[in-house]
Amino acid sequence: MAELIDLRSDTVTKPTAEMRKAMAAAEVGDDVYGEDPTIQKLERIAAEKIGKEAALFVPSGTMGNQVAAMTHLQRGEEVVLEAESHIFYYEVGGLALLSGAQARTITGRKGFMEPERIAAAIRPDDLHFPRTGLLCLENTHNRAGGAVLTAEQTGLMAQVAHERGIPVHLDGARVFNAAIALGTDVRELTAPVDSVMFCLSKGLAAPVGSLLAGKQEFIDKARKVRKLLGGGLRQAGILAAAGIIALEQMVDRLAEDHAHARLLAAELANIPGLTIDPDAYPTNILICSVAKLGISAQRFSALLAQHGVLANPISATELRFVTHTDVTKNQIITAINIINQIVKAINQF
Ligand code: TLP
C-alpha cells in the first residue's frame, strides 16, 4: 500500500529537521531548580507572544488546562464551560477528579456561548449553591470543527464572568490557528482572559509540550500545582528547543493547513452521500457526516484506513479530518480521490 495520509489529528506532526538539530544542541539544566536556560527562554518568548506576564511549560495541553483549573478553583466550586469543550469532553473528568469541581455546561454555537446564558449559569450567592469559580472558553473549538472566536466574542463572554468577579481560562490549544484565520494578533484573542493554555505539539509540530500563561502570581502558583501532578521536568530544555522553533517558524505556515482544509471541504461537499458545509471550517479541522451513506462513521473510518487514509470518527455518523504540516496538497488530492472511490463503491450497493 502507498504511504498513509494521516488526517486523524495535527497531534501526529513530527518535529522538523531543524527542531531535531536544536534539540540535540540545547543548553539544559535542572528545571525543577529553575536552572534550564532553554526552558526559561521558551517561557519568556511564549509569554511575550501570547501577551501575558509569564508562562509555564507543561508536558501536555491536558495538564495545562487542569493545572489552570486547579490554580483558579477551590474544591466544591462550579465551572461554566461549553458542552462539547475539550476540558469537559476529553479530559478524563479531571475537573471533578483533580479540582473537586462540578461542571455546568452550556451548549454554544461554534464555540460561542451567549453572554445571557453564561450570566444565567453563574450562581447567585445562596446557601444551597456551589460558588461559580471559573469560566472556560475554547479557541479554536475542536468539536465545533476548529471554529474561531473573535476578540470581540471572547471579550463579551469574559466580561460576564469578570463583572461577577469570576476568572476566565482559555483553552487555546490551537489559538494560533484562530489568529491566522482571523488575520489578527493572537494577543487580541487572549487579552480578555486571565489564563491561556496553548499547544506546541499540534499544528506547530513540536514533539511535546504546551504553555500555560497568565499573570506572574498565577504562574507562580501554577508551578507548584504542576509539580504536584508530576509535571516538574528536569532537563526539559531539550523539549523547549523544539518549542522555540515551533513558535518562531511554524505559526505563519498554519495558513497552508487552512487552505488544504478548505480544498478538502470543497471537494468532499461534491461527493454524493457525504454531508459537509464547505464554508463552515475556517481553520484546519473539518467534520463530515456519512449518515446518508447508511454506514457508521466507525465503519467508514475503517474503510478509509484500508486504503491508506486515516480519519477519526467523532460520533456515530461523523468523521473528523485534520490538516497539518505533514500532509501535502498532493496528499490531500490523493485522499479526495480515495474517498471518492470508496463512496462510489458504497453507493453501488
Ligand atoms: N485534542 C486531541 C484529542 O484529545 C481530542 C486532538 O486530537 O484534537 N484542548 C484542545 C482544544 C485539544 O484539541 C486538545 C487535544 C487538548 C486541549 C489537549 O492537548 P494534549 O493532547 O496535549 O493533552
Side-chain angles (χ1 to χ4, degrees), residues 181-197:
L182 290 165
T184 52
D185 187 322
V186 71
R187 284 173 277 218
E188 287 185 35
L189 304 180
T190 60
V193 304
D194 302 280
S195 59
V196 50
M197 182 284 293

Side-chain angles (χ1 to χ4, degrees), residues 106 112-122 156 160 164:
I106 294 176
F112 180 68
M113 295 174 274
E114 292 297 335
E116 303 74 44
R117 298 194 62 195
I118 297 175
I122 292 174
L156 285 172
V160 179
R164 292 157 182 79

Side-chain angles (χ1 to χ4, degrees), residues 9 11 60-62 65 86 90-91 138 142 171 173-174 197 202 320:
S9 182
T11 59
S60 70
T62 301
N65 283 333
H86 194 278
Y90 286 123
E91 297 193 10
E138 185 172 317
N142 184 343
D171 176 348
R174 299 184 180 84
M197 182 284 293
K202 301 199 162 56
R320 183 183 77 156

